Amino acid sequence: MSQEIMKLDMFVHGEWRAGSTGDVVEVMNPAKDEVLATVPDGGAEDLDAAMASAAEGLKVWRATHPRTRAQVIAKMAATLQERAQEYAELYSLNSGGSIGTGLWTMYDVAGRRFEYYAGLADKVRGDTFVTPGEFLSYTLREPVGITGHIIPWNGPLWIGSRTIAPALAAGNSVVVKPSSEAPVTLLKFAEMAVECGLPPGVLNVVTGRGSGMGDLFTRHEALDGIYFTGSTWTGRKILANTATTNVRTVMELGGKSPNIVFADADMEAALDGAIMAIFANSGQICVAGSRLLVQASIHDEFVERLAAKAAEITIGGPEANALMGPLITSAQREKVLEYIASGKEEADLVTGGGVPDDPALQKGYFVAPTIFDGVPNTARIAREEIFGPVLSVTSFEDFDEAITLANDTEYGLASAVWTGDVATAHNAAQALEAGQVYINHYYTAAFETSRSPYKASGHGMSEGPDAIYEYLNQKAVSVKLGEGEGW
Ligand code: NAD
């Protein structure tokens, strides 16, 4: 039975705001190819209203005692965790991931992040330096101001929380533009934040297409910082826009992450890890392990067993709680199928290679788990981010060749190493050009540790204690105390 279409507006200054253009964007349920919701396709007038609201919100929030900020953000965290089921269902309907993934991301990822940065809100400090009798010098850390957050569709709150939580903790106001493909959870969350005591104007959400609202957004003169998570292609367009506004930027972009399996690895664990690395969420994860590098001496057995495991993968809509759900749009499915066609010309297809046969999966945007072997590192499927369930396998002889292949990419988001040798693991961790290295597992990364992407995967710190400095300006104050040389 079809679901009733949700009609959502933008959320500005603590209230729902209808769009000024009168146009709407249809938001799809990707598992069913049905319209789930509509949101305004906003324009310049809406954006100006959101920025004016954020300016008001900033005055209030930056003057709020950090301890009170911490309490409000902690309440937002707790409320999201209490309502995790409701948010997980919305996420699943809109982004196509399983309810299990939704619950984990609401409770353990987004909820925990707000909790973590609530804890940091009243721990922002500066430094002092005294030259006795001459100068007192100290630093002041102050909010950047109005921060703009552009979020991709694949984890609106799970990824949105990574920039929104530290921005709020540092005393900034926030304007978010979610993906037009998945704006639902962020809009609901903004309303919930006000119910938790966040003053109106501190968290605003505008909606619209990337090419329209997104482009206007990143040119807007009121913004003091842009925190973008999305593709490298869009990131470059945004950086070009900021050449004239000169705002601070943090860019978390795309990836083509290598997953290296040495012959001395625990093979069963590496096989399961390789499957999760590329097929969880149908490969629609920025850090997905899309390039599998396997040492030549175990290559044949590894690929054979990998294909057998791929054949057992569950595929289905959110209610099926399967490992693989649909791709986000029919256009994305077409793009992935084009990559598969190019893979068939440049490498050997091991399994998959099209739409699953199951009649129940013909309506949503599903693609079968696909593995290519013998992939030269020059092939399109080895170089470009596909953002779908397509794995490239390449074999290597020794450590040096593994690292050379792994680093032969424009991206540098994540990487993984499977080995029984501790020295191999740490030598690889140092040699890999990526902001995240997983050793003998894939995906689990403490968000209490900070990191920045390498190369075309972006710049700026995310997660953990250091990320908060991306949301703070630092001012040095020097006071003359008496006569002396100074410096
Ligand atoms: P996308 O780049 O197409 O869109 C991201 C956001 O940018 C959306 O809100 C979109 O509306 C907006 N946008 C599009 N064009 C714009 C423009 N011209 N100006 C301003 N904004 C614009 O990415 P997507 O398809 O939503 O998400 C998938 C991509 O995001 C993948 O490349 C993935 O690797 C990346 N991603 C990266 C991370 C990370 O942490 N590095 C996390 C998740 C996703």
Side-chain angles (χ1 to χ4, degrees):
M1 202 178 73
S2 297
Q3 196 142 355
E4 198 179 324
I5 298 173
M6 287 183 263
K7 291 194 171 39
L8 294 167
D9 283 330
M10 293 184 249
F11 196 76
V12 174
H13 217 70
E15 292 175 351
W16 294 105
R17 176 189 167 93
S20 62
T21 64
D23 296 333
V24 295
V25 182
E26 289 189 336
V27 178
M28 303 300 287
N29 171 343
K32 298 203 167 150
D33 189 28
E34 285 171 2
V35 179
L36 172 71
T38 60
V39 293
D41 193 9
E45 204 180 300
D46 305 306
L47 191 57
D48 287 345
M51 295 296 172
S53 160
E56 287 300 309
L58 179 64
K59 281 188 213 152
V60 176
W61 194 236
R62 69 176 286 163
T64 301
H65 194 293
R67 192 175 54 229
T68 310
R69 278 190 226 143
Q71 286 163 348
V72 173
I73 300 168
K75 183 148 190 226
M76 288 162 58
T79 310
L80 180 63
Q81 289 174 329
E82 277 160 30
R83 292 170 59 178
Q85 180 71 29
E86 173 196 338
Y87 276 88
E89 285 171 14
L90 286 172
Y91 154 81
S92 294
L93 284 172
N94 194 176
S95 293
S98 69
I99 297 279
T101 304
L103 279 171
W104 170 69
T105 58
M106 296 310 156
Y107 197 90
D108 293 313
V109 185
R112 277 283 296 122
R113 271 208 197 102
F114 280 102
E115 192 178 87
Y116 180 84
Y117 284 104
L120 272 190
D122 58 356
K123 291 165 195 69
V124 172
R125 303 175 310 133
D127 299 320
T128 53
F129 181 76
V130 184
T131 324
E134 296 179 8
F135 275 92
L136 162 67
S137 301
Y138 63 91
T139 56
L140 289 176
R141 289 203 159 111
E142 299 173 342
V144 164
I146 301 179
T147 59
H149 303 242
I150 301 187
I151 313 292
W153 66 266
N154 64 329
L157 262 173
W158 145 31
I159 290 165
S161 60
R162 198 170 55 192
T163 61
I164 296 170
L168 292 178
N172 299 280
S173 62
V174 169
V175 184
V176 188
K177 196 212 82 64
S179 165
S180 51
E181 282 141 14
V184 175
T185 50
L186 270 165
L187 284 163
K188 297 274 187 192
F189 180 75
E191 183 184 40
M192 191 199 80
V194 171
E195 289 161 11
C196 291
L198 195 71
V202 179
L203 176 58
N204 308 275
V205 183
V206 293
T207 56
R209 294 179 209 285
S211 52
M213 175 58 97
D215 189 54
L216 286 172
F217 190 100
T218 57
R219 292 172 192 276
H220 205 285
E221 302 256 325
L223 282 178
D224 299 299
I226 294 180
Y227 301 84
F228 173 72
T229 309
S231 63
T232 294
W233 189 83
T234 307
R236 285 180 175 146
K237 288 187 85 161
I238 291 173
L239 285 174
N241 283 354
T242 63
T244 49
T245 51
N246 210 14
V247 295
R248 178 192 287 242
T249 56
V250 169
M251 295 271 138
E252 275 282 347
L253 308 176
K256 191 75 195 173
S257 300
N259 185 14
I260 308 173
V261 184
F262 287 96
D264 62 0
D266 173 342
M267 192 183 281
E268 189 60 23
L271 283 162
D272 288 339
I275 291 283
M276 283 301 289
I278 184 63
F279 296 125
N281 214 32
S282 295
Q284 301 170 110
I285 300 180
C286 52
V287 290
S290 50
R291 289 189 300 138
L292 180 65
L293 308 177
V294 185
Q295 196 150 19
S297 57
I298 58 162
H299 165 271
D300 293 355
E301 182 188 353
F302 198 90
V303 173
E304 195 183 319
R305 288 174 62 182
L306 193 69
K309 282 190 184 280
E312 288 165 14
I313 287 176
T314 50
I315 311 176
E319 66 291 344
N321 230 358
L323 182 69
M324 282 183 45
L327 300 184
I328 183 67
T329 58
S330 79
Q332 176 62 13
R333 180 171 62 175
E334 287 315 303
K335 188 177 139 196
V336 171
L337 293 174
E338 270 174 39
Y339 274 112
I340 290 175
S342 90
K344 286 176 182 167
E345 286 176 13
E346 294 188 277
D348 306 321
L349 180 66
V350 177
T351 187
V355 173
D357 299 331
D358 185 345
L361 301 178
Q362 301 309 306
K363 215 173 160 217
Y365 315 134
F366 297 94
V367 170
T370 298
I371 301 175
F372 286 101
D373 192 16
V375 183
N377 221 29
T378 49
R380 262 187 84 202
I381 55 167
R383 302 211 76 77
E384 296 177 22
E385 185 184 44
I386 299 174
F387 223 55
V390 182
L391 179 66
S392 294
V393 186
T394 304
S395 75
F396 65 86
E397 290 297 332
D398 56 19
F399 180 90
D400 288 348
E401 194 187 2
I403 299 299
T404 302
L405 282 167
N407 287 341
D408 179 18
T409 170
E410 69 166 326
Y411 295 106
L413 202 57
S415 55
V417 183
W418 300 81
T419 175
D421 183 66
V422 75
T424 303
H426 288 286
N427 284 327
Q430 289 173 43
L432 287 165
E433 296 165 357
Q436 172 76 53
V437 183
Y438 308 111
I439 295 175
N440 290 335
H441 73 99
Y442 210 97
Y443 283 137
T444 307
F447 56 74
E448 292 85 352
T449 48
S450 307
R451 59 179 169 68
S452 59
Y454 282 41
K455 305 197 280 191
S457 290
H459 59 251
M461 205 61 81
S462 284
E463 313 275 35
D466 297 347
I468 202 153
Y469 302 118
E470 299 287 3
Y471 304 86
L472 291 161
N473 284 328
Q474 182 160 319
K475 184 185 280 174
V477 182
S478 55
V479 188
K480 188 163 182 174
L481 301 176
E483 292 311 313
E485 287 179 15
W487 65 85

